[in-house]
PDB file of all heavy atoms in Angstrom:
ATOM      1  N   GLU A 712      18.380  -2.871  28.228  1.00 91.00           N
ATOM      2  CA  GLU A 712      18.659  -1.964  27.115  1.00 91.00           C
ATOM      3  C   GLU A 712      20.048  -2.199  26.529  1.00 91.00           C
ATOM      4  O   GLU A 712      21.008  -2.510  27.246  1.00 91.00           O
ATOM      5  CB  GLU A 712      18.535  -0.516  27.578  1.00 91.00           C
ATOM      6  CG  GLU A 712      18.646   0.478  26.434  1.00 91.00           C
ATOM      7  CD  GLU A 712      18.154   1.858  26.796  1.00 91.00           C
ATOM      8  OE1 GLU A 712      16.919   2.036  26.893  1.00 91.00           O
ATOM      9  OE2 GLU A 712      18.993   2.757  26.995  1.00 91.00           O
ATOM     10  N   HIS A 713      20.133  -2.031  25.212  1.00 94.00           N
ATOM     11  CA  HIS A 713      21.383  -2.158  24.477  1.00 94.00           C
ATOM     12  C   HIS A 713      21.657  -0.851  23.735  1.00 94.00           C
ATOM     13  O   HIS A 713      20.736  -0.124  23.370  1.00 94.00           O
ATOM     14  CB  HIS A 713      21.305  -3.290  23.436  1.00 94.00           C
ATOM     15  CG  HIS A 713      20.879  -4.609  23.996  1.00 94.00           C
ATOM     16  ND1 HIS A 713      21.763  -5.624  24.267  1.00 94.00           N
ATOM     17  CD2 HIS A 713      19.650  -5.083  24.320  1.00 94.00           C
ATOM     18  CE1 HIS A 713      21.099  -6.670  24.739  1.00 94.00           C
ATOM     19  NE2 HIS A 713      19.814  -6.354  24.779  1.00 94.00           N
ATOM     20  N   ILE A 714      22.909  -0.576  23.482  1.00 96.00           N
ATOM     21  CA  ILE A 714      23.318   0.532  22.620  1.00 96.00           C
ATOM     22  C   ILE A 714      24.021  -0.081  21.419  1.00 96.00           C
ATOM     23  O   ILE A 714      25.071  -0.722  21.560  1.00 96.00           O
ATOM     24  CB  ILE A 714      24.268   1.508  23.336  1.00 96.00           C
ATOM     25  CG1 ILE A 714      23.603   2.083  24.589  1.00 96.00           C
ATOM     26  CG2 ILE A 714      24.686   2.624  22.375  1.00 96.00           C
ATOM     27  CD1 ILE A 714      22.381   2.928  24.318  1.00 96.00           C
ATOM     28  N   GLN A 715      23.431   0.094  20.233  1.00 96.00           N
ATOM     29  CA  GLN A 715      23.978  -0.505  19.017  1.00 96.00           C
ATOM     30  C   GLN A 715      24.600   0.585  18.144  1.00 96.00           C
ATOM     31  O   GLN A 715      23.890   1.392  17.554  1.00 96.00           O
ATOM     32  CB  GLN A 715      22.878  -1.217  18.229  1.00 96.00           C
ATOM     33  CG  GLN A 715      23.329  -1.769  16.884  1.00 96.00           C
ATOM     34  CD  GLN A 715      24.391  -2.837  17.043  1.00 96.00           C
ATOM     35  OE1 GLN A 715      24.195  -3.794  17.778  1.00 96.00           O
ATOM     36  NE2 GLN A 715      25.510  -2.686  16.351  1.00 96.00           N
ATOM     37  N   PRO A 716      25.936   0.657  18.052  1.00 97.00           N
ATOM     38  CA  PRO A 716      26.555   1.613  17.138  1.00 97.00           C
ATOM     39  C   PRO A 716      26.126   1.322  15.694  1.00 97.00           C
ATOM     40  O   PRO A 716      25.939   0.157  15.302  1.00 97.00           O
ATOM     41  CB  PRO A 716      28.054   1.374  17.330  1.00 97.00           C
ATOM     42  CG  PRO A 716      28.171   0.703  18.664  1.00 97.00           C
ATOM     43  CD  PRO A 716      26.929  -0.126  18.808  1.00 97.00           C
ATOM     44  N   THR A 717      25.966   2.362  14.907  1.00 97.00           N
ATOM     45  CA  THR A 717      25.476   2.195  13.536  1.00 97.00           C
ATOM     46  C   THR A 717      26.204   3.135  12.584  1.00 97.00           C
ATOM     47  O   THR A 717      26.766   4.155  12.989  1.00 97.00           O
ATOM     48  CB  THR A 717      23.974   2.506  13.436  1.00 97.00           C
ATOM     49  OG1 THR A 717      23.771   3.886  13.761  1.00 97.00           O
ATOM     50  CG2 THR A 717      23.147   1.645  14.370  1.00 97.00           C
ATOM     51  N   ASP A 718      26.156   2.789  11.301  1.00 98.00           N
ATOM     52  CA  ASP A 718      26.593   3.697  10.239  1.00 98.00           C
ATOM     53  C   ASP A 718      25.414   4.331   9.525  1.00 98.00           C
ATOM     54  O   ASP A 718      25.543   5.410   8.944  1.00 98.00           O
ATOM     55  CB  ASP A 718      27.449   2.939   9.211  1.00 98.00           C
ATOM     56  CG  ASP A 718      28.769   2.477   9.799  1.00 98.00           C
ATOM     57  OD1 ASP A 718      29.469   3.304  10.405  1.00 98.00           O
ATOM     58  OD2 ASP A 718      29.088   1.275   9.672  1.00 98.00           O
ATOM     59  N   PHE A 719      24.269   3.633   9.554  1.00 98.00           N
ATOM     60  CA  PHE A 719      23.074   4.148   8.871  1.00 98.00           C
ATOM     61  C   PHE A 719      21.869   3.453   9.482  1.00 98.00           C
ATOM     62  O   PHE A 719      21.929   2.244   9.772  1.00 98.00           O
ATOM     63  CB  PHE A 719      23.142   3.852   7.366  1.00 98.00           C
ATOM     64  CG  PHE A 719      22.156   4.636   6.537  1.00 98.00           C
ATOM     65  CD1 PHE A 719      22.430   5.933   6.144  1.00 98.00           C
ATOM     66  CD2 PHE A 719      20.939   4.076   6.156  1.00 98.00           C
ATOM     67  CE1 PHE A 719      21.528   6.658   5.383  1.00 98.00           C
ATOM     68  CE2 PHE A 719      20.024   4.784   5.406  1.00 98.00           C
ATOM     69  CZ  PHE A 719      20.324   6.086   5.010  1.00 98.00           C
ATOM     70  N   VAL A 720      20.789   4.199   9.693  1.00 98.00           N
ATOM     71  CA  VAL A 720      19.594   3.660  10.341  1.00 98.00           C
ATOM     72  C   VAL A 720      18.385   3.903   9.446  1.00 98.00           C
ATOM     73  O   VAL A 720      18.230   4.984   8.876  1.00 98.00           O
ATOM     74  CB  VAL A 720      19.360   4.328  11.715  1.00 98.00           C
ATOM     75  CG1 VAL A 720      18.019   3.905  12.302  1.00 98.00           C
ATOM     76  CG2 VAL A 720      20.489   3.990  12.667  1.00 98.00           C
ATOM     77  N   VAL A 721      17.532   2.897   9.340  1.00 98.00           N
ATOM     78  CA  VAL A 721      16.259   3.036   8.635  1.00 98.00           C
ATOM     79  C   VAL A 721      15.133   2.727   9.620  1.00 98.00           C
ATOM     80  O   VAL A 721      15.124   1.651  10.231  1.00 98.00           O
ATOM     81  CB  VAL A 721      16.164   2.088   7.424  1.00 98.00           C
ATOM     82  CG1 VAL A 721      14.784   2.208   6.767  1.00 98.00           C
ATOM     83  CG2 VAL A 721      17.247   2.404   6.407  1.00 98.00           C
ATOM     84  N   ASP A 722      14.207   3.672   9.761  1.00 98.00           N
ATOM     85  CA  ASP A 722      13.013   3.433  10.573  1.00 98.00           C
ATOM     86  C   ASP A 722      11.951   2.820   9.673  1.00 98.00           C
ATOM     87  O   ASP A 722      11.432   3.479   8.769  1.00 98.00           O
ATOM     88  CB  ASP A 722      12.505   4.747  11.178  1.00 98.00           C
ATOM     89  CG  ASP A 722      11.182   4.567  11.927  1.00 98.00           C
ATOM     90  OD1 ASP A 722      10.804   3.405  12.208  1.00 98.00           O
ATOM     91  OD2 ASP A 722      10.533   5.586  12.221  1.00 98.00           O
ATOM     92  N   ALA A 723      11.620   1.562   9.922  1.00 96.00           N
ATOM     93  CA  ALA A 723      10.559   0.862   9.197  1.00 96.00           C
ATOM     94  C   ALA A 723       9.556   0.304  10.197  1.00 96.00           C
ATOM     95  O   ALA A 723       9.044  -0.804  10.018  1.00 96.00           O
ATOM     96  CB  ALA A 723      11.151  -0.247   8.332  1.00 96.00           C
ATOM     97  N   THR A 724       9.292   1.071  11.263  1.00 94.00           N
ATOM     98  CA  THR A 724       8.464   0.567  12.360  1.00 94.00           C
ATOM     99  C   THR A 724       6.972   0.787  12.144  1.00 94.00           C
ATOM    100  O   THR A 724       6.172   0.500  13.032  1.00 94.00           O
ATOM    101  CB  THR A 724       8.880   1.202  13.694  1.00 94.00           C
ATOM    102  OG1 THR A 724       8.811   2.632  13.588  1.00 94.00           O
ATOM    103  CG2 THR A 724      10.286   0.804  14.068  1.00 94.00           C
ATOM    104  N   GLY A 725       6.589   1.300  10.987  1.00 93.00           N
ATOM    105  CA  GLY A 725       5.172   1.335  10.652  1.00 93.00           C
ATOM    106  C   GLY A 725       4.428   2.555  11.142  1.00 93.00           C
ATOM    107  O   GLY A 725       4.996   3.553  11.588  1.00 93.00           O
ATOM    108  N   ARG A 726       3.125   2.447  11.048  1.00 92.00           N
ATOM    109  CA  ARG A 726       2.215   3.564  11.334  1.00 92.00           C
ATOM    110  C   ARG A 726       2.400   4.111  12.749  1.00 92.00           C
ATOM    111  O   ARG A 726       2.207   5.290  12.997  1.00 92.00           O
ATOM    112  CB  ARG A 726       0.776   3.060  11.130  1.00 92.00           C
ATOM    113  CG  ARG A 726      -0.322   4.087  11.317  1.00 92.00           C
ATOM    114  CD  ARG A 726      -1.660   3.417  10.981  1.00 92.00           C
ATOM    115  NE  ARG A 726      -2.794   4.206  11.392  1.00 92.00           N
ATOM    116  CZ  ARG A 726      -3.402   5.135  10.661  1.00 92.00           C
ATOM    117  NH1 ARG A 726      -2.945   5.397   9.449  1.00 92.00           N
ATOM    118  NH2 ARG A 726      -4.455   5.787  11.110  1.00 92.00           N
ATOM    119  N   ALA A 727       2.785   3.264  13.701  1.00 92.00           N
ATOM    120  CA  ALA A 727       2.956   3.678  15.094  1.00 92.00           C
ATOM    121  C   ALA A 727       4.380   4.147  15.385  1.00 92.00           C
ATOM    122  O   ALA A 727       4.775   4.238  16.547  1.00 92.00           O
ATOM    123  CB  ALA A 727       2.578   2.537  16.029  1.00 92.00           C
ATOM    124  N   SER A 728       5.150   4.468  14.366  1.00 96.00           N
ATOM    125  CA  SER A 728       6.532   4.908  14.544  1.00 96.00           C
ATOM    126  C   SER A 728       6.645   6.003  15.609  1.00 96.00           C
ATOM    127  O   SER A 728       5.828   6.922  15.667  1.00 96.00           O
ATOM    128  CB  SER A 728       7.075   5.451  13.213  1.00 96.00           C
ATOM    129  OG  SER A 728       8.286   6.159  13.406  1.00 96.00           O
ATOM    130  N   ARG A 729       7.695   5.918  16.420  1.00 96.00           N
ATOM    131  CA  ARG A 729       7.965   6.911  17.453  1.00 96.00           C
ATOM    132  C   ARG A 729       9.064   7.888  17.036  1.00 96.00           C
ATOM    133  O   ARG A 729       9.517   8.708  17.848  1.00 96.00           O
ATOM    134  CB  ARG A 729       8.389   6.202  18.746  1.00 96.00           C
ATOM    135  CG  ARG A 729       7.388   5.198  19.284  1.00 96.00           C
ATOM    136  CD  ARG A 729       6.139   5.879  19.803  1.00 96.00           C
ATOM    137  NE  ARG A 729       6.434   6.696  20.974  1.00 96.00           N
ATOM    138  CZ  ARG A 729       5.583   7.568  21.513  1.00 96.00           C
ATOM    139  NH1 ARG A 729       4.397   7.758  20.955  1.00 96.00           N
ATOM    140  NH2 ARG A 729       5.918   8.266  22.579  1.00 96.00           N
ATOM    141  N   LEU A 730       9.481   7.830  15.781  1.00 98.00           N
ATOM    142  CA  LEU A 730      10.610   8.654  15.360  1.00 98.00           C
ATOM    143  C   LEU A 730      10.341  10.141  15.569  1.00 98.00           C
ATOM    144  O   LEU A 730      11.227  10.878  16.032  1.00 98.00           O
ATOM    145  CB  LEU A 730      10.946   8.377  13.895  1.00 98.00           C
ATOM    146  CG  LEU A 730      12.107   9.199  13.322  1.00 98.00           C
ATOM    147  CD1 LEU A 730      13.386   8.956  14.101  1.00 98.00           C
ATOM    148  CD2 LEU A 730      12.315   8.881  11.832  1.00 98.00           C
ATOM    149  N   ALA A 731       9.144  10.615  15.245  1.00 97.00           N
ATOM    150  CA  ALA A 731       8.844  12.036  15.426  1.00 97.00           C
ATOM    151  C   ALA A 731       8.992  12.438  16.893  1.00 97.00           C
ATOM    152  O   ALA A 731       9.515  13.517  17.204  1.00 97.00           O
ATOM    153  CB  ALA A 731       7.438  12.343  14.925  1.00 97.00           C
ATOM    154  N   ASN A 732       8.544  11.570  17.791  1.00 97.00           N
ATOM    155  CA  ASN A 732       8.680  11.845  19.222  1.00 97.00           C
ATOM    156  C   ASN A 732      10.145  11.876  19.642  1.00 97.00           C
ATOM    157  O   ASN A 732      10.560  12.719  20.440  1.00 97.00           O
ATOM    158  CB  ASN A 732       7.933  10.795  20.039  1.00 97.00           C
ATOM    159  CG  ASN A 732       6.472  10.694  19.657  1.00 97.00           C
ATOM    160  OD1 ASN A 732       6.125  10.168  18.595  1.00 97.00           O
ATOM    161  ND2 ASN A 732       5.587  11.184  20.513  1.00 97.00           N
ATOM    162  N   TRP A 733      10.930  10.924  19.128  1.00 97.00           N
ATOM    163  CA  TRP A 733      12.351  10.898  19.464  1.00 97.00           C
ATOM    164  C   TRP A 733      13.040  12.178  18.989  1.00 97.00           C
ATOM    165  O   TRP A 733      13.855  12.754  19.709  1.00 97.00           O
ATOM    166  CB  TRP A 733      13.035   9.697  18.824  1.00 97.00           C
ATOM    167  CG  TRP A 733      12.527   8.372  19.288  1.00 97.00           C
ATOM    168  CD1 TRP A 733      11.781   8.112  20.412  1.00 97.00           C
ATOM    169  CD2 TRP A 733      12.736   7.112  18.643  1.00 97.00           C
ATOM    170  NE1 TRP A 733      11.502   6.767  20.491  1.00 97.00           N
ATOM    171  CE2 TRP A 733      12.077   6.133  19.437  1.00 97.00           C
ATOM    172  CE3 TRP A 733      13.406   6.716  17.495  1.00 97.00           C
ATOM    173  CZ2 TRP A 733      12.091   4.780  19.085  1.00 97.00           C
ATOM    174  CZ3 TRP A 733      13.421   5.370  17.146  1.00 97.00           C
ATOM    175  CH2 TRP A 733      12.771   4.424  17.936  1.00 97.00           C
ATOM    176  N   LEU A 734      12.724  12.608  17.763  1.00 97.00           N
ATOM    177  CA  LEU A 734      13.355  13.818  17.242  1.00 97.00           C
ATOM    178  C   LEU A 734      13.015  15.022  18.109  1.00 97.00           C
ATOM    179  O   LEU A 734      13.892  15.830  18.455  1.00 97.00           O
ATOM    180  CB  LEU A 734      12.906  14.060  15.794  1.00 97.00           C
ATOM    181  CG  LEU A 734      13.396  13.048  14.750  1.00 97.00           C
ATOM    182  CD1 LEU A 734      12.789  13.353  13.391  1.00 97.00           C
ATOM    183  CD2 LEU A 734      14.921  13.037  14.665  1.00 97.00           C
ATOM    184  N   ALA A 735      11.737  15.162  18.476  1.00 97.00           N
ATOM    185  CA  ALA A 735      11.329  16.286  19.312  1.00 97.00           C
ATOM    186  C   ALA A 735      12.022  16.228  20.678  1.00 97.00           C
ATOM    187  O   ALA A 735      12.493  17.256  21.197  1.00 97.00           O
ATOM    188  CB  ALA A 735       9.806  16.284  19.480  1.00 97.00           C
ATOM    189  N   ARG A 736      12.112  15.045  21.257  1.00 96.00           N
ATOM    190  CA  ARG A 736      12.750  14.873  22.560  1.00 96.00           C
ATOM    191  C   ARG A 736      14.222  15.225  22.520  1.00 96.00           C
ATOM    192  O   ARG A 736      14.796  15.744  23.492  1.00 96.00           O
ATOM    193  CB  ARG A 736      12.561  13.421  23.015  1.00 96.00           C
ATOM    194  CG  ARG A 736      13.162  13.076  24.355  1.00 96.00           C
ATOM    195  CD  ARG A 736      13.076  11.571  24.594  1.00 96.00           C
ATOM    196  NE  ARG A 736      13.884  10.820  23.646  1.00 96.00           N
ATOM    197  CZ  ARG A 736      13.791   9.505  23.462  1.00 96.00           C
ATOM    198  NH1 ARG A 736      12.898   8.797  24.150  1.00 96.00           N
ATOM    199  NH2 ARG A 736      14.566   8.888  22.583  1.00 96.00           N
TER     200      ARG A 736
END
Side-chain angles (χ1 to χ4, degrees):
E712 187 164 286
H713 306 258
I714 301 296
Q715 175 63 53
T717 64
D718 293 310
F719 195 82
V720 172
V721 177
D722 175 14
T724 56
R726 183 176 168 89
S728 167
R729 303 291 294 169
L730 179 59
N732 304 73
W733 297 343
L734 292 176
R736 180 188 65 194

